[in-house]
Amino acid sequence: TKNNDKLRRAVLSEDFVLKSRVVFLLVSALAVVFVYVLVFNWRRSVPEALLASSILALSWEVAYHLRWIAPDGLLMMFGTLTMLGVLMAFRNGHRRWLWLSAITAGLACGTKYPGGLFIVTVVIAAVQISDRNDSYWLRAFFFVKLMLAFVVVYLISSPGTVLEPDEWYMWLS
């Protein structure tokens, strides 16, 4: 209890809160960079990529949410990175990009549960670019491995799901 009180005071201190806000701002702002890379790889146009990332960076909603210690900016960043991986998988035809997408979709789900829907785009991409010469079982095994990567990353980023399932379910419902 003495250590808990000390930890509680440290976490609620103004210095810790300010430093945490800076970390959330910087990490979440990576979404602007990822949007630029995503649009550039999709459209092959610097002006369009610059416009898309500028619209995101200058939007009132993004500026407002990034000021706070909130999961919204992190979800935006992980979602953008997931879609970048999906685009690169389509563009290059390499399934290895889907691993990045499955991992970042797991992180998105761990950040905010609706982020788990990003795994749908990963599965659709996996179906579209799967090697038709592979047997059904090899393709199914690849999908299972992608889903397993998603689940493992989610559980690592949100261990309360396993460690305190009653509280997790209470907050979920």
Side-chain angles (χ1 to χ4, degrees):
T1 60
K2 183 179 179 182
N3 287 336
N4 286 344
D5 291 338
K6 188 176 180 180
L7 179 63
R8 184 174 287 116
R9 281 193 309 274
V11 168
L12 296 176
S13 72
E14 189 175 321
D15 187 49
F16 180 81
V17 170
L18 185 59
K19 287 179 183 177
S20 297
R21 288 171 88 176
V22 169
V23 169
F24 268 77
L25 173 69
L26 293 177
V27 172
S28 298
L30 287 173
V32 174
V33 175
F34 295 146
V35 164
Y36 179 87
V37 174
L38 173 70
V39 173
F40 179 77
N41 280 294
W42 174 37
R43 305 287 295 173
R44 299 287 186 212
S45 169
V46 170
E48 288 181 24
L50 187 59
L51 177 64
S53 61
S54 297
I55 288 172
L56 179 65
L58 298 173
S59 72
W60 181 87
E61 293 85 1
V62 169
Y64 180 79
H65 276 88
L66 295 190
R67 297 180 325 163
W68 305 107
I69 302 171
D72 302 279
L74 296 176
L75 175 60
M76 176 181 62
M77 187 266 302
F78 288 132
T80 305
L81 196 52
T82 301
M83 296 311 296
L84 176 60
V86 167
L87 174 76
M88 295 306 290
F90 275 121
R91 171 105 28 217
N92 299 330
H94 296 298
R95 296 190 311 186
R96 70 174 175 252
W97 287 102
L98 296 177
W99 290 106
L100 168 71
S101 294
I103 289 167
T104 54
L107 290 170
C109 186
T111 301
K112 215 170 175 179
Y113 297 126
L117 292 174
F118 281 109
I119 194 63
V120 174
T121 62
V122 178
V123 169
I124 291 170
V127 168
Q128 291 294 317
I129 68 168
S130 63
D131 188 1
R132 302 293 182 217
N133 295 328
D134 284 347
S135 71
Y136 170 80
W137 294 109
L138 279 177
R139 285 185 278 166
F141 186 60
F142 177 68
F143 298 140
V144 168
K145 289 190 300 186
L146 280 177
M147 292 303 293
L148 186 62
F150 169 80
V151 169
V152 166
V153 169
Y154 162 74
L155 291 174
I156 289 171
S157 67
S158 298
T161 306
V162 175
L163 298 176
E164 298 176 345
D166 294 335
E167 285 188 42
W168 174 80
Y169 184 75
M170 182 187 72
W171 283 103
L172 186 62
S173 55

